[in-house]
Amino acid sequence: MDYGMIGKIEKAKRYAEQRDRIHVEQLQVRFDGDHGPHTVSFNAGAWTCDCNFFLSRGVCSHTMALERILEGMLPAPAELAPH
Ligand SMILES: [Zn+2]
């Protein structure tokens, strides 16, 4: 492996531990829940999920699980306030 690539891999390892550098703006995933797959999206600070619980409550186990996984990389509420 060339020297340049080795340096980039080392940098990637450091970056991967610095979540405050990463700001999720858009995301779409297929979430294989216990009762089947769901499409979960994050856009402009808002979650959507196609499960029935989300439709009635605006939050669900799928969005909450992703919030945990993405902890530190989602915009804080203050960053989403209208300017
Ligand atoms: Zn859901």
Side-chain angles (χ1 to χ4, degrees):
M1 197 169 351
D2 67 89
Y3 190 76
M5 183 59 82
I6 291 168
K8 292 300 182 191
I9 290 169
E10 287 304 313
K11 193 168 191 178
K13 288 177 182 172
R14 290 198 301 275
Y15 274 167
E17 294 172 353
Q18 298 169 353
R19 289 178 168 235
D20 59 332
R21 288 183 182 272
I22 299 164
H23 310 275
V24 175
E25 296 178 334
Q26 282 187 322
L27 182 73
Q28 179 171 308
V29 305
R30 191 195 77 197
F31 197 124
D32 291 335
D34 285 345
H35 307 289
H38 295 290
T39 300
V40 188
S41 303
F42 182 80
N43 197 3
W47 289 102
T48 57
C49 181
D50 62 6
C51 74
N52 287 328
F53 195 91
F54 186 89
L55 288 176
S56 62
R57 304 289 291 274
V59 65
C60 63
S61 57
H62 314 114
T63 63
M64 288 190 282
L66 287 166
E67 282 182 340
R68 286 170 175 261
I69 292 165
L70 299 171
E71 186 179 2
M73 298 186 287
L74 295 169
E79 293 177 56
L80 297 171
H83 299 289

